[in-house]
Amino acid sequence: MEISYNPSIALQSHQSLIIATIVTLLPLLLAVWSLFKRPHKSNVSAPATSTGKEETRQATPSSSCNGATDSAAFLNDGRAGAVDEEMVTADVSKVAAEMQSGASMMEQLVPEITTHALSYLDYPSLCRLSMTNSLMRKAANDDNAWKALYHKDFTLEQDSVTPVNGWKAYYAATRAIMNVNTEFFNIIRSRSFPAMSCFWLNADYVKCIHASGEHYSGYNAVIQSWQVAFNWEQDVDFQVRDVRARVLTDMAWVTMKTFVDIDSGPFNMTNVFEFHHGRWYLVHHHSSVMLPAGGDMGQQIHG
Ligand SMILES: *[C@@H]1O[C@H](CO)[C@@H](O)[C@H](O)[C@H]1NC(C)=O
């Protein structure tokens, strides 16, 4: 009994072990099988079905989304495949319709919200955004957006002015004159007499009042005074702050403070520019005069 019983138990346990193993391994095998089946199937069946599928795809406006359509075509055959492709085609045409109406989430915002969102962008970003599409171009050219950017980048002053060509143009004009004004100080730092000669308008009415208190009138006298200053002075390190520009069509003036060193007070300066032949020229420079306080006479600066 024991002899006949034991093998049956052994067989039973062996059978159950086999069943358990099959049950455990079957999903794994199926997974591995399907993994190997996909590329194999697409390689083999693709040429056979491609002609028909190609025609279907060409008939629908889905050719712009080839990736999705191709994988759907290769993974499915028969009715199931047809249904899936229909779904893909429906999705594609939905996307196409959305693209045609140009309705992205950003563009569906209320204009006030868009303007607010744009107020967080800086100057290059706003310019880049305006190049994306017509709706964004309209939003990025919004007058209030540029007024906000002007206030952020330059000054809160001039809140009440109404620029004739809008705030975007005014922003650009202000940025241009700021760059010209920066160039003035770069010329002083590099002591370039030729550059300073080109920077001034060649006219008899230009005037320059240096920090020394000396006053020069007329192009030749003004230019000579800079030549003397560049030859005479040693290197001065200075910082320019509180730069404010007001730009009209062909005239602009800039006020600023120039700190030669931290201890002494600032030189208060004004530059006046005129627009001639497509560029800005300096016609007037006025620096406040350093007062000889406490025998500290070494702080004088031309400029
Ligand atoms: C420039 O103006 C400031 C006031 O903003 C004044 O304290 C300073 O003395 C002035 N500088 C000169 C050199 O006059």
Side-chain angles (χ1 to χ4, degrees), residues 242 257 265-269 287-291:
D242 297 338
K257 292 185 195 311
F267 290 97
N268 305 300
M269 295 182 179
S287 170
S288 61
V289 175
M290 172 56 102
L291 302 166

Side-chain angles (χ1 to χ4, degrees), residues 209-216 232-233 267 287-290 300-303:
I209 301 159
H210 289 281
S212 60
E214 292 160 297
H215 177 288
Y216 299 91
W232 179 70
E233 268 169 19
F267 290 97
S287 170
S288 61
V289 175
M290 172 56 102
Q300 288 196 354
I301 174 185
H302 284 255

